[in-house]
Amino acid sequence: MGNDVWLIVTDPADLAVLPRVQNLGPVTALVIGDRELADLASRAVAAVQWIETADAVPAEAYVAAAAQSAAAATPRVIACSGAPASRAVLGAVAARCSAPLLPAVAGVTSDGAGVVVERTAIQGAVIATYRLTSPVCVVLVPDETAAGSVPEPATVVAAPSAAVAAMQVVSRVATAKASGLADAARVVSVGRGVRSRADLGMVEELAGALDAAVACSMPVADDLGWFPKDRYVGRSGQCIAPRLYVAVGISGAPQHLEGIRGAKVVVAINSDPDAAIFRAADCGVVGDLYEVVPALTAALAAAHR
Amino acid sequence: MTTAAAYTWSRDPGSAHVSADGTVTWPAAKLTPGEDDHAALAVAVAIGGSEGVVGVTLGAGDASWALARKATRAIVVSDAPLGDDDAATGAVLAAAARRAGADDVVVVGDSEAHPGVAPAVAGHLGWPIMLGVTSAQRIDGRVHVTRQVAGVEETVAITPPVVLGVTAVSVERSAPGMKEMLAARKRPVEKVTVAELGLEQRAALHPTTTRCPEATRARIFDGDPDRAAADLVAFLRSEGVA
Ligand SMILES: Cc1cc2nc3c(=O)[nH]c(=O)nc-3n(C[C@H](O)[C@H](O)[C@H](O)COP(=O)(O)OP(=O)(O)OC[C@H]3O[C@@H](n4cnc5c(N)ncnc54)[C@H](O)[C@@H]3O)c2cc1C
């Protein structure tokens, strides 16, 4: 068994999880993608193996070759982010190595010949700990701390990429709509805690005071039809990264939170102190939004005076 | 050609009770399919091969759930419990899909809670995989799948066999009615054991301990709404976001 860590990289998001496994030893990045991605990896890790993708061939076509390279190196830990093509490789490595595969992993530490894996479970309500013999495959959650760069970029070594699966991209159509949400620096978002459409004016006034765009949770667009569908945030809607996200009467379902992972400051206004949104928020007010929202609008106006 | 739809049933995290010391208990033993499984099954039915769609599940998975949603038969690995190791779950589902004669497309819900299951099914079958799929159709023997990648809708043509990890875009809009439930009862269900699949019986992986995360990092401003609002604005200004 090797002593090192392999990181599967098919997307820059994979490099963002690096700090969670850097404590274990030297990290080898197995990059499947273009030269730019390989160069990005070379500035973050000790060694880079690179499978270059051909035009119109998705990274998933190279999974078998990638898994073979990773398994042959017998690493102790094989890791990636939730990026789809990276997970595809991870599943193939786990099968080859008869290794366990754990998702939502926040940390891995050495434990003699094995490892201790910590992951979030029950929608973030608990941290679960596992003691496992290596090798282990882990899908890591994003880390906010920046990965340290290496003093000298690693040499990028071409990895064998034979046996490409028969898959080809036949079309790519931009779908990011002109909702303006994607570029908004500040977003105020409406959830089902707002009781009636007539009350939206109050939220829009808050958005005006913050110079923010207005978004919503999925049911507010889908079921209530108060906003067009390109205005809801979450895994099935818009994934946004504003500097400020104010969730008004939103419970914080995991599918919603997926859309605001990149937000810098998340504010929650909710009457339920146990609402999941408070676990994802930086700050918040526990209270009735019908009192808090007008008070906040007034406080912003006062602060700008 | 046989298409399979593999799915698992597990406890609904919303029904868990977490004590102050991080101990998790389940007052209501409510089991549900994964939130993406209905969409996965719908994709399987849409592209189903000539032999129809076989529902594949394990442990507490309910065969009639798939049969009421147009699967023509089902296979259940009754003694394989669902644990936290997605690779172990994938190994059992892959072996059961093989046993059921799946030779074309195996569709699996690409769930947020178990993002490693679909990849592990593909790994154990030795088939290619495409994840994050929202719809699929068959054109000239190839499967054309659509998925959303960073604001782009991408369509990829794939020659089977292939595993598709399907992402649901919403809750199931129309659940089967009484007629479908009754029809489901007449369809065949094969029960197999882990040993019959030629796999080693392994205990399900569960954590050695659970604990509560460090105190929530959210700063809560409460009390009088005007005071709370003023404090919040001061905080937002100190963060440079208001
Ligand atoms: C496959 C799938 C995909 C999904 N994708 C998405 C997605 O992309 N985006 C998305 O948003 N959802 C998505 N969902 C739905 C998601 O699971 C939740 O149902 C949804 O996000 C809940 O919306 P909500 O928070 O507005 O409503 P609720 O969950 O009903 O929450 C309302 C909140 O308002 C609070 N409240 C009530 N009254 C007041 C008051 N007077 N003052 C203050 N607070 C109050 C309550 O305490 C509660 O927390 C998806 C679901 C599935 C199954």
Side-chain angles (χ1 to χ4, degrees):
Chain A
M1 183 65 46
N3 212 19
D4 56 351
V5 179
W6 274 50
L7 182 71
I8 313 296
V9 181
T10 64
D11 187 290
D14 293 307
L15 292 167
V17 299
L18 184 59
R20 299 210 180 265
V21 282
Q22 263 172 330
N23 60 307
L24 286 168
V27 177
T28 299
L30 174 59
V31 179
I32 309 158
D34 57 16
R35 178 86 219 188
E36 201 183 332
L37 189 60
D39 286 343
L40 199 62
S42 75
R43 294 193 286 276
V45 298
V48 176
Q49 299 246 348
W50 176 37
I51 295 177
E52 185 175 12
T53 47
D55 268 358
V57 180
E60 283 84 349
Y62 303 85
V63 162
Q68 194 168 3
S69 294
T74 64
R76 207 169 161 203
V77 174
I78 308 99
C80 67
S81 73
S86 305
R87 284 189 287 128
V89 176
L90 200 68
V93 176
R96 271 176 186 271
C97 303
S98 299
L101 194 170
L102 281 166
V105 170
V108 186
T109 47
S110 291
D111 177 34
V115 288
V116 175
V117 174
E118 286 202 327
R119 62 180 287 252
T120 58
I122 323 275
Q123 294 174 351
V126 296
I127 309 276
T129 305
Y130 306 78
R131 282 173 205 288
L132 300 164
T133 48
S134 42
V136 296
C137 293
V138 289
V139 179
L140 298 165
V141 290
D143 191 311
E144 281 163 13
T145 55
S149 58
V150 287
E152 282 288 308
T155 314
V156 175
V157 179
S161 61
V164 177
M167 39 176 79
Q168 195 172 22
V169 177
V170 289
S171 75
R172 302 191 90 231
V173 182
T175 52
K177 307 241 172 60
S179 65
L181 277 188
D183 307 321
R186 283 177 290 272
V187 173
V188 174
S189 199
V190 178
R192 266 199 310 219
V194 174
R195 285 193 286 268
S196 106
R197 192 173 195 152
D199 303 333
L200 290 179
M202 174 184 72
V203 180
E204 275 155 7
E205 274 177 35
L206 172 61
L210 279 166
D211 190 20
V214 181
C216 62
S217 66
M218 186 171 92
V220 171
D222 247 14
D223 303 342
L224 300 173
W226 293 352
F227 291 96
K229 293 196 178 185
D230 62 3
R231 288 237 151 220
Y232 78 78
V233 171
R235 67 178 281 191
S236 328
Q238 305 290 322
C239 291
I240 56 174
R243 285 167 53 70
L244 175 67
Y245 185 77
V246 185
V248 180
I250 290 180
S251 59
Q255 301 90 351
H256 184 83
L257 298 179
E258 248 185 81
I260 54 164
R261 274 199 191 134
K264 183 170 176 274
V265 175
V266 175
V267 177
I269 300 170
N270 199 303
S271 51
D272 175 5
D274 295 324
I277 190 74
F278 287 115
R279 287 205 289 271
D282 297 274
C283 62
V285 181
V286 177
D288 183 350
L289 69 90
Y290 286 88
E291 292 178 1
V292 176
V293 168
L296 194 52
T297 310
L300 283 161
H304 283 121
R305 243 181 258 133
Chain B
M1 277 190 312
T2 299
T3 301
Y7 60 96
T8 55
W9 278 44
S10 56
R11 286 166 170 150
D12 172 10
S15 68
H17 176 261
V18 180
S19 315
D21 68 353
T23 312
V24 180
T25 48
W26 301 88
K30 191 177 159 215
L31 292 169
T32 53
E35 67 184 19
D36 301 277
D37 288 344
H38 69 90
L41 193 48
V43 164
V45 169
I47 58 167
S50 51
E51 304 291 318
V53 173
V54 53
V56 176
T57 191
L58 53 74
D62 182 356
S64 66
W65 179 84
L67 297 173
R69 288 165 177 77
K70 300 199 176 78
T72 45
R73 61 194 168 96
I75 181 166
V76 183
V77 189
S78 44
D79 63 345
L82 181 69
D84 297 342
D85 173 5
D86 285 355
T89 305
V92 175
L93 292 174
R98 216 187 269 284
R99 159 98 171 200
D103 55 359
D104 169 46
V105 181
V106 174
V107 184
V108 190
D110 187 14
S111 99
E112 173 77 358
H114 294 287
V117 170
V121 168
H124 282 279
L125 286 169
W127 293 6
I129 179 167
M130 188 58 70
L131 292 161
V133 171
T134 49
S135 65
Q137 55 178 321
R138 221 180 263 274
I139 302 175
D140 297 334
R142 296 215 286 177
V143 177
H144 286 229
V145 303
T146 302
R147 59 178 186 167
Q148 306 290 330
V149 196
V152 171
E153 187 178 272
E154 189 176 76
T155 302
V156 182
I158 311 167
T159 307
V162 66
V163 172
L164 304 181
V166 171
T167 307
V169 288
S170 68
V171 289
E172 186 173 32
R173 292 288 178 204
S174 60
M178 190 52 85
K179 196 166 136 254
E180 287 88 357
M181 304 288 254
L182 291 174
R185 287 204 201 147
K186 299 199 186 94
R187 301 198 172 128
V189 178
E190 183 189 4
K191 293 212 165 174
V192 292
T193 62
V194 169
E196 282 167 338
L197 292 175
L199 300 175
E200 204 182 306
Q201 180 82 50
R202 282 201 278 177
L205 180 68
H206 293 298
T208 43
T209 57
T210 53
R211 63 178 163 83
C212 288
E214 278 76 54
T216 52
R217 58 191 184 100
R219 268 182 72 164
I220 301 298
F221 303 98
D222 49 11
D224 165 57
D226 293 329
R227 179 80 253 147
D231 290 346
L232 176 57
V233 169
F235 174 77
L236 295 179
R237 298 196 102 190
S238 72
E239 291 284 308
V241 292

